[in-house]
Amino acid sequence: MFGVFIIFAVFILYNINRLTDSLCVQKEIPEERQSKVFRTINILVTILLVSSYMEVLFA
């Protein structure tokens, strides 16, 4: 189950990063701020994935 969840998490993170890149291009966010935007979104999505894994594990 852990392996399937890891594959799912990588797929989700890839798609979220692709969408974040599209957002940065569309909103014309400066290069200096883009790394901060990516870091924030990646941390929040990682927290969401870990919490959903814990819910599945202990449910």
Side-chain angles (χ1 to χ4, degrees):
M1 169 117 152
F2 184 71
V4 173
F5 198 83
I6 293 295
I7 293 170
F8 173 73
V10 168
F11 177 74
I12 294 295
L13 281 171
Y14 172 76
N15 282 323
I16 293 295
N17 280 323
R18 197 174 48 129
L19 291 171
T20 303
D21 185 54
S22 297
L23 174 74
C24 288
V25 169
Q26 183 181 12
K27 296 296 181 182
E28 298 174 0
I29 297 175
E31 289 287 327
E32 307 85 46
R33 292 194 58 221
Q34 283 186 13
S35 64
K36 198 173 194 179
V37 170
F38 273 95
R39 186 178 316 118
T40 303
I41 290 175
N42 283 333
I43 289 171
L44 293 173
V45 169
T46 303
I47 290 170
L48 179 66
L49 288 168
V50 168
S51 66
S52 65
Y53 178 72
M54 293 301 206
E55 171 129 5
V56 167
L57 188 64
F58 294 117

